[in-house]
């Protein structure tokens, strides 16, 4: 009598069922949250890893100095034509190098030392200077301020990223005495931390180098005793050490295992302490074109190439995709043929992008003989690639417009065309636009098809039309990432950030346009 | 085709009442053996039905019996449905509107339609009404258009409610107002016939009453065909009633006669609520 009947909501069975259902609910929510959390974590991890890497390329080191453009160096045989000036890179380079070298009168003037010194700045770094002078020949004989990037090895060293270096403090007021052979001795130095670090690093193919720097002078530790530390002078005078506070630096990698020598390090540190080498924003990343030297390379040509390619892609794929979608959705009869087309459009969206590259290479380059490496060809190939995506998105947008709107327009005597263009399209437009821009975003990140049509060429000139040789940002990322030097790593990351920024901008445009058009009703 | 041949004495409109003075009218639309097929499956079977001017003809019948399908024949809206095929002849002013020479777009400007669910365009109230006259080139300038908009809204009994907010979107109106807006939109292109497919089915009784009043008012100028599921509504607003069952026209005639002394057993069963 007290037992509730089996069917009651209070019964044991019902309660158990309820518990099971609640548990299933909770489990499902947990799975969802876990998936979301994982996706979010991966995204944040990826973005921050790239941003961290790219931060190394936000600034770089340049030599900034005043030089006199002596005519003997710039136009040795008296020919000051622009071509001749631009070709005479050696002359400019010698001017800059000698100006820097003049800071180290004690360095000796052997060929080996000069060659060693030359590694601080790459020859091609003076090319912009040469071009500037070629444009303004009146500068010859004048004194100009030049700013040339230091070589990537020096830059990486000064950024403490490779070889790694650890700064240390030197107690103020340590007594400095001249040592034998032009060296110097630091009496009662408190270098316990240096000793600990050196012990920890151990010896592998030689000992790490320890430097002390003051303004304009650098010395290397040769013997570390309890009472005194002996240093070998690499740049400047002993007197320099007495006038300014000292800074210490341990370069953790032994000299034999790095590309930058102790002497070069000493010069770089000395020039930096004098303010000749300074850290500046790396604007050349956006104003220069590709180069084999990382410190001289920039992404401008690839950026312009990408924009030109996108221009072609957008002008072909968006109208074509939208009109194809309108035709298929609103006008085409529903029969076997249109069904076949529909299935094939969906299949086309899943074709690997490299296949489109092959198609472009054989058809556009081979049959139609369009120029290789041109944004025109790249744009056409990418347009074909994203066309199915644009069509599918546009059809979905059209299908989302309630049919009652169409019937309403038809019933007041609008033709089919008027119903579509006056009533359906305005409603479908934001959705179509979103699809189109998302398609463009996909095209912006495509690499494989562009490789096949030769847009991977080394491009030193900014393309000015869609038929010029060009490359694109993702291809630039690909080629920079395959370079061996460490200095390319932050540069590559920086280009990735540029690419991501473009994508973000495109998405913001989508959101803004949607807002704008949706506010109409 | 000689139109006068179809001119007929309309028994539905005999009797007393002022507006019944127009009882002597010819069938505005005359359907002969109309059948409709959806992808080969027949939905309407050989319906022959005259529709008289300046009167309301109600189509009643259980769900799925082909009322909407038949109604759509009258302005060739079935053309817009994939797989739909209409046979038979439908004469309007002596012209067979089913013949290929007739432009359905022009036909629809003469035969307006109001749908079950209000479907105003997502544009301003003004543009909703003005759209039809604009695309048909009925107006020369803005003043004329303003006049048409005002007249149509007045006829639809909506002017007082919206005259200060013509620029607001039509979708911001209430359901009943939206339906009257749709009626105004249909009137604005100066049709001769207005088709209504369950125009009140999504409305509350008060809004329904307003629309019914409106239909009664519009009857003085237009030929109206209305599909309805409400027997009371059919009895209230229509002069003629046609009862459909399983795609066949079972019975048609004077509304009073259909509701008081139906000839057919099926009609009686349906009206008295025994099925459907
Ligand atoms: N677009 C269509 N395609 C295929 N068959 C249809 C289509 N529209 C209607 N039908 C079929 O035609 C028949 C008649 O439908 P119709 O819509 O005319 O009925 P109805 O009388 O208006 O019903 P209701 O009162 O429910 O609106 C139904 O069997 C329906 O399944
Ligand atoms: Mg219906």
């Amino acid at each position: 009598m007290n037992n509730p009947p089996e069917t009651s909501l209070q019964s044991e069975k019902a309660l158990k069922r309820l518990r099971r259902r609640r548990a299933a609910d909770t489990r499902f929510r947990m799975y969802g949250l876990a998936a979301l959390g994982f996706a979010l974590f991966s995204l944040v991890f990826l973005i921050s890893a790239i941003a961290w890497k790219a931060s190394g390329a936000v600034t770089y080191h340049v030599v900034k100095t005043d030089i006199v453009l002596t005519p003997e160096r710039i136009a040795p045989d008296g020919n000051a034509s622009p071509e001749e000036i631009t070709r005479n890179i050696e002359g400019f380079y010698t001017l800059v190098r000698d100006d820097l070298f003049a800071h180290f009168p004690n360095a000796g003037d052997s060929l080996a030392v000069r060659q060693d010194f030359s590694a601080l700045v790459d020859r091609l770094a003076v090319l912009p200077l040469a071009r500037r002078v070629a444009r303004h020949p009146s500068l010859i004989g004048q004194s100009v301020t030049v700013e040339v990037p230091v070589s990537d090895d020096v830059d990486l060293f000064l950024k403490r990223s490779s070889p790694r270096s650890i700064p240390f403090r030197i107690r103020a007021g340590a007594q400095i005495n001249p040592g034998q052979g032009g060296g110097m001795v630091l009496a009662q130095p408190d270098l316990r931390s240096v000793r600990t670090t050196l012990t920890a690093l151990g010896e592998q193919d030689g000992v790490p180098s320890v430097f002390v720097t003051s303004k304009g002078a650098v010395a290397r530790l040769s013997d570390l005793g309890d009472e005194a530390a002996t240093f070998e002078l690499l740049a400047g005078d002993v007197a320099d050490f007495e006038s300014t506070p000292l800074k210490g630096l341990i370069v953790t990698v032994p000299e034999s295992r790095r590309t930058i020598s102790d002497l070069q390090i000493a010069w770089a540190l000395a020039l930096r302490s004098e303010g000749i080498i300074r850290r500046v924003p790396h604007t050349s990343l956006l104003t220069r074109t590709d180069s084999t030297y990382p410190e001289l390379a920039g992404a401008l040509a690839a950026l312009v190439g990408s924009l030109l390619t996108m221009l072609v892609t957008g002008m072909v794929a968006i109208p074509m995709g939208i009109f194809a979608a309108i035709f298929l959705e609103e006008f085409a009869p529903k029969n076997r043929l249109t069904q076949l087309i529909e299935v094939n459009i969906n299949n086309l969206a899943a074709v690997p992008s490299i296949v489109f590259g092959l198609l472009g290479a054989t058809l556009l380059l081979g049959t139609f003989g369009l120029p290789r490496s041109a944004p025109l060809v790249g744009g056409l190939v990418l347009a074909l690639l994203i066309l199915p995506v644009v069509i599918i998105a546009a059809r979905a947008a059209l299908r989302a417009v309630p049919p009652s709107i169409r019937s309403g327009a038809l019933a007041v005597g609008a033709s089919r065309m008027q119903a579509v263009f006056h009533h359906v399209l305005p409603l479908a437009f934001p959705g179509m636009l979103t699809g189109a821009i998302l398609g463009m975003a996909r095209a912006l990140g495509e690499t494989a098809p562009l490789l096949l049509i030769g847009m991977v060429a080394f491009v030193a000139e900014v393309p000015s039309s869609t038929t010029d040789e060009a490359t694109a940002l993702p291809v630039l990322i690909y080629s920079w990432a395959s370079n061996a030097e460490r200095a390319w790593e932050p540069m590559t990351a920086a280009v990735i950030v540029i690419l991501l920024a473009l994508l973000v901008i495109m998405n913001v445009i989508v959101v803004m346009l949607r807002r704008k058009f949706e506010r109409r009703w | 085709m000689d139109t006068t041949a179809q001119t007929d004495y309309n028994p539905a409109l005999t009797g007393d009442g002022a507006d019944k003075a127009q009882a002597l009218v010819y069938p505005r639309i005359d359907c002969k053996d109309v059948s409709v097929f959806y992808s080969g499956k027949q939905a309407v079977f050989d319906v022959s039905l005259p529709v008289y001017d300046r009167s309301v003809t109600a189509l009643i019948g259980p769900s799925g019996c082909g009322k909407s399908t038949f109604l759509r024949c009258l302005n060739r809206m079935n053309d817009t449905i994939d797989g739909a095929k209409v046979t038979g002849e439908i004469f309007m002013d002596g012209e067979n509107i089913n013949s290929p020479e007739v432009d359905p777009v022009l036909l629809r400007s003469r035969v307006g339609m109001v749908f079950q669910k209000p479907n105003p365009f997502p544009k301003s109230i003004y543009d909703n009404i003005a759209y039809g006259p604009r695309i048909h080139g009925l107006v020369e300038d803005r003043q004329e258009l303003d006049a048409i908009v005002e007249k149509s809204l007045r006829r639809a009994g909506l002017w007082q409610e919206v005259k200060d907010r013509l620029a607001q979107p039509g979708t911001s109106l209430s359901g009943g107002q939206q339906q009257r807006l749709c009626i105004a939109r249909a009137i604005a292109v100066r049709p001769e016939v207005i088709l209504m497919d369950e125009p009140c089915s999504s409305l509350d009784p008060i809004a329904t009453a307003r629309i019914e009043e409106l239909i009664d008012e519009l009857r003085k100028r237009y030929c109206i065909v209305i599909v309805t599921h409400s027997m009371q509504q059919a009895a209230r607003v229509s002069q003629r009633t046609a009862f459909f069952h399983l795609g066949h026209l079972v019975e048609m005639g004077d509304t009073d006669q259909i509701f008081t002394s139906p000839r057919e057993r099926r009609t009686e069963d349906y009206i008295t609520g025994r099925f459907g």
Side-chain angles (χ1 to χ4, degrees):
Chain A
M1 192 58 198
N2 283 340
N3 280 355
E6 273 304 287
T7 50
S8 152
L9 286 174
Q10 309 294 315
S11 79
E12 196 52 41
K13 255 187 175 163
L15 285 178
K16 212 169 128 198
R17 212 164 40 232
L18 192 66
R19 266 199 303 279
R20 266 216 307 278
R21 223 164 56 191
R22 284 207 183 121
D25 273 9
T26 319
R27 233 178 309 137
F28 185 76
R29 261 214 309 280
M30 284 304 161
Y31 292 153
L33 279 179
L36 194 71
F38 181 72
L40 216 65
F41 170 78
S42 309
L43 191 72
V44 168
F45 179 78
L46 191 77
I47 301 265
S48 48
I50 290 171
W52 172 245
K53 274 238 178 90
S55 68
V58 171
T59 57
Y60 73 152
H61 288 89
V62 295
V63 170
K64 189 167 183 184
T65 185
D66 293 328
I67 58 169
V68 178
L69 298 168
T70 49
E72 302 85 69
R73 281 272 189 236
I74 290 164
D77 34 350
N79 182 353
S81 72
E83 296 79 36
E84 211 45 47
I85 290 176
T86 336
R87 201 170 304 145
N88 183 24
I89 287 178
E90 193 60 40
F92 287 96
Y93 183 64
T94 317
L95 275 179
V96 172
R97 191 193 50 193
D98 290 354
D99 179 80
L100 295 178
F101 201 54
H103 289 268
F104 307 104
N106 304 334
D109 208 356
S110 71
L111 191 64
V113 171
R114 268 185 185 273
Q115 252 171 14
D116 231 17
F117 193 81
S118 297
L120 291 189
V121 174
D122 282 310
R123 264 185 177 62
L124 277 178
V126 297
L127 186 60
L129 172 66
R131 290 213 176 113
R132 192 171 124 209
V133 175
R135 268 201 310 277
H136 310 285
S138 61
L139 286 173
I140 296 175
Q142 310 264 310
S143 168
V144 293
T145 305
V146 296
E147 206 180 275
V148 286
V150 301
S151 77
D152 56 323
D153 284 342
V154 176
D155 183 52
L156 283 182
F157 167 73
L158 291 177
K159 284 173 180 164
R160 288 209 204 121
S161 77
S162 163
R164 228 161 63 75
S165 53
I166 307 164
F168 64 90
R169 287 145 86 66
I170 294 174
R171 195 162 48 87
Q175 202 188 337
I176 295 163
N177 304 315
Q180 305 107 314
M184 73 165 188
V185 174
L186 216 57
Q188 293 176 322
D190 185 16
L191 295 181
R192 256 173 310 166
S193 64
V194 177
R195 204 184 298 273
T196 335
T197 313
L198 288 178
T199 320
L201 288 169
E203 288 192 23
Q204 223 183 7
D205 310 323
V207 282
S209 307
V210 181
F211 298 89
V212 290
T213 323
S214 82
K215 191 163 188 299
V218 178
R220 177 175 63 186
L221 183 73
S222 52
D223 179 57
L224 181 57
D226 285 332
E227 291 298 312
T230 313
F231 289 88
E232 182 189 346
L233 206 57
L234 295 184
D237 296 311
V238 177
D240 292 329
F241 287 97
E242 283 156 1
S243 51
T244 45
L246 305 185
K247 281 188 270 179
L249 195 69
I250 305 170
V251 178
T252 58
V253 181
E255 192 175 11
S256 59
R257 283 175 52 211
R258 53 178 134 89
T259 46
I260 180 167
S261 71
D262 278 355
L263 206 52
Q264 287 164 342
I265 288 181
W267 287 326
L269 289 174
L271 287 173
R272 180 167 73 173
S273 69
E274 288 184 270
I276 293 171
I277 291 184
R278 52 177 78 180
R279 202 168 181 164
V280 296
H282 195 170
T283 47
S284 66
L285 191 61
L286 284 173
T287 56
R288 291 222 182 136
T289 59
D290 204 2
S291 163
T292 42
Y293 297 100
E295 77 272 18
L296 305 181
L300 181 63
L303 183 64
V304 174
S306 263
L307 294 180
L308 286 174
T309 309
M310 283 303 102
L311 191 74
V312 175
T313 305
M315 277 176 21
V316 174
I318 294 179
M320 228 159 100
I322 287 182
F323 279 110
I326 293 174
F327 178 75
L328 282 174
E329 199 56 41
E330 303 288 340
F331 296 103
K334 303 275 175 286
N335 56 25
R336 280 270 169 74
L337 184 68
T338 46
Q339 252 169 27
L340 194 74
I341 291 174
E342 193 171 340
V343 168
N344 277 307
I345 286 174
N346 292 340
N347 286 341
L348 222 51
V351 169
S353 59
I354 198 154
V355 176
F356 286 93
L358 272 177
L359 178 83
T362 49
L363 197 72
L364 296 177
L365 300 184
T367 313
F368 296 131
L370 292 175
R372 267 181 77 77
S373 317
L376 175 65
V377 180
L380 288 176
V381 168
L382 292 181
L384 283 184
L385 175 73
I386 66 165
L387 196 57
V389 182
V390 176
I391 293 179
I392 291 170
R395 291 188 70 175
L398 285 171
R399 222 168 300 160
V401 176
S404 63
I405 298 290
R406 285 184 193 85
S407 328
L410 291 176
V412 293
S415 68
R416 218 160 186 174
M417 180 112 154
Q418 285 171 327
V420 169
F421 281 85
H422 294 167
H423 298 285
V424 178
L425 271 194
L427 290 178
F429 192 66
M432 289 176 149
L433 206 66
T434 310
I437 295 187
L438 289 182
M440 294 285 283
R442 183 179 165 202
L444 186 63
E446 273 299 336
T447 322
L450 300 185
L451 294 181
L452 282 180
I453 57 142
M455 281 185 80
V456 70
F458 182 86
V459 176
E461 297 283 323
V462 178
S464 56
S465 81
T466 52
T467 47
D468 285 354
E469 264 205 347
T471 184
L473 285 174
V475 183
L476 190 73
I477 292 171
Y478 166 79
S479 38
W480 282 9
S482 30
N483 285 336
E485 286 102 325
R486 278 267 339 249
W488 289 109
E489 244 176 61
M491 300 280 287
T492 311
V495 181
I496 293 176
V497 169
I498 294 174
L499 187 62
L500 288 180
L502 281 184
L503 293 177
V504 169
I505 290 172
M506 286 171 102
N507 279 301
V508 169
I509 291 175
V510 169
V511 171
M512 279 180 359
L513 284 179
R514 288 193 78 129
R515 287 258 174 81
K516 182 166 180 287
F517 282 107
E518 267 165 11
R519 216 175 283 146
R520 281 228 301 242
W521 4 92
Chain B
M1 169 75 61
D2 180 14
T3 52
T4 48
Q6 266 127 33
T7 305
D8 194 7
Y9 174 70
N10 180 356
L13 298 178
T14 51
D16 42 55
D19 52 344
K20 303 210 171 154
Q22 285 152 345
L24 270 170
V25 283
Y26 56 89
R28 185 83 223 191
I29 304 175
D30 201 16
C31 306
K32 297 262 191 270
D33 296 328
V34 173
S35 297
V36 184
F37 303 84
Y38 286 117
S39 316
K41 202 176 139 280
Q42 192 161 5
V44 169
F45 297 81
D46 302 321
V47 171
S48 298
L49 178 75
V51 178
Y52 293 93
D53 204 1
R54 298 183 195 233
S55 72
V56 177
T57 304
L59 309 182
I60 61 170
S63 187
C65 67
K67 306 180 296 290
S68 300
T69 303
F70 175 75
L71 194 72
R72 281 199 298 266
C73 295
L74 303 183
N75 66 346
R76 289 202 30 192
M77 279 297 270
N78 282 326
D79 291 13
T80 66
I81 297 172
D82 277 305
K85 185 169 157 281
V86 181
T87 62
E89 293 168 317
I90 300 171
F91 292 99
M92 199 174 147
D93 295 339
E95 194 179 14
N96 180 9
I97 65 169
N98 264 350
S99 79
E101 293 95 66
V102 170
D103 181 2
V105 170
L106 278 184
L107 172 71
R108 286 184 208 128
S109 68
R110 294 168 60 196
V111 184
M113 186 160 190
V114 177
F115 297 85
Q116 179 171 358
K117 254 178 66 194
N119 58 347
F121 301 135
K123 297 182 189 296
S124 71
I125 293 173
Y126 185 95
D127 285 335
N128 260 283
I129 313 286
Y131 180 68
R134 270 199 197 120
I135 59 169
H136 293 297
L138 297 184
V139 287
E140 297 286 310
D141 52 26
R142 182 81 188 190
Q143 275 90 21
E144 269 185 75
L145 192 60
D146 287 350
I148 288 195
V149 169
E150 181 177 341
K151 202 168 88 185
S152 308
L153 283 171
R154 275 192 197 284
R155 288 229 178 118
L158 196 60
W159 177 250
Q160 288 306 323
E161 285 152 80
V162 302
K163 65 174 186 232
D164 301 322
R165 44 191 282 207
L166 291 176
Q168 281 181 23
T171 41
S172 69
L173 296 172
S174 78
Q177 288 173 327
Q178 285 187 20
Q179 196 61 297
R180 277 180 280 148
L181 180 66
C182 291
I183 293 174
R185 181 176 74 186
I187 296 172
V189 288
R190 300 184 194 144
E192 296 146 33
V193 181
I194 301 176
L195 311 176
M196 298 186 180
D197 193 351
E198 303 181 37
C200 303
S201 65
S202 62
L203 303 182
D204 71 289
I206 293 173
T208 302
R210 294 218 51 171
I211 302 269
E212 284 180 10
E213 275 170 35
L214 177 59
I215 292 171
D216 210 46
E217 185 65 29
L218 293 173
R219 171 164 70 87
K220 293 177 188 153
R221 298 168 184 276
Y222 304 97
C223 163
I224 296 174
V225 184
I226 178 171
V227 171
T228 176
H229 273 278
S230 156
M231 295 309 114
Q232 292 88 338
Q233 186 170 66
R236 278 195 301 265
V237 302
S238 74
Q239 286 73 49
R240 303 260 303 170
T241 297
F243 172 63
F244 281 70
H245 188 222
L246 298 177
H248 295 273
L249 175 62
V250 174
E251 186 173 351
M252 70 168 157
D254 189 346
T255 299
D256 297 339
Q257 174 253 312
I258 294 274
F259 279 92
T260 51
S261 51
R263 282 187 291 270
E264 293 276 339
R265 179 67 195 270
R266 277 181 290 172
T267 316
E268 191 179 345
D269 286 351
Y270 181 70
I271 286 167
T272 52
R274 253 173 289 214
F275 78 89

